[in-house]
Amino acid sequence: VRGIRRRHGAAARSSDDEAYLRRLAERHPALAPSVERLVKATKNPVSPRELTELADDIDMIERTLST
């Protein structure tokens, strides 16, 4: 999450990754499912399968923020 924030200019804001992700979901409602999975993953261990899904979620967030 910090890498996303760094690449998209949000590093200077709050250090709370969950708050940052939730703001993204508010601004881009289509990202809400991805955000929820990432928030969950920051709090709980994930399986190898879930890591692949999280990579897809991060990619979707990156594409959305880059457009």
Side-chain angles (χ1 to χ4, degrees):
V1 175
R2 289 187 183 122
I4 295 170
R5 293 172 66 181
R6 185 178 55 251
R7 286 186 293 281
H8 296 283
R13 295 185 186 145
S14 168
S15 62
D16 184 352
D17 290 338
E18 182 176 349
Y20 171 71
L21 288 171
R22 297 219 183 270
R23 281 194 306 273
L24 285 180
E26 287 174 10
R27 285 187 292 168
H28 306 279
L31 295 178
S34 295
V35 164
E36 288 307 314
R37 282 188 292 271
L38 283 171
V39 167
K40 180 182 170 188
T42 63
K43 297 177 181 184
N44 302 303
V46 295
S47 71
R49 179 175 170 259
E50 290 171 310
L51 284 175
T52 301
E53 292 172 355
L54 291 170
D56 292 341
D57 291 331
I58 291 168
D59 186 50
M60 175 183 264
I61 291 169
E62 294 274 6
R63 282 192 316 257
T64 299
L65 296 178
S66 295
T67 58

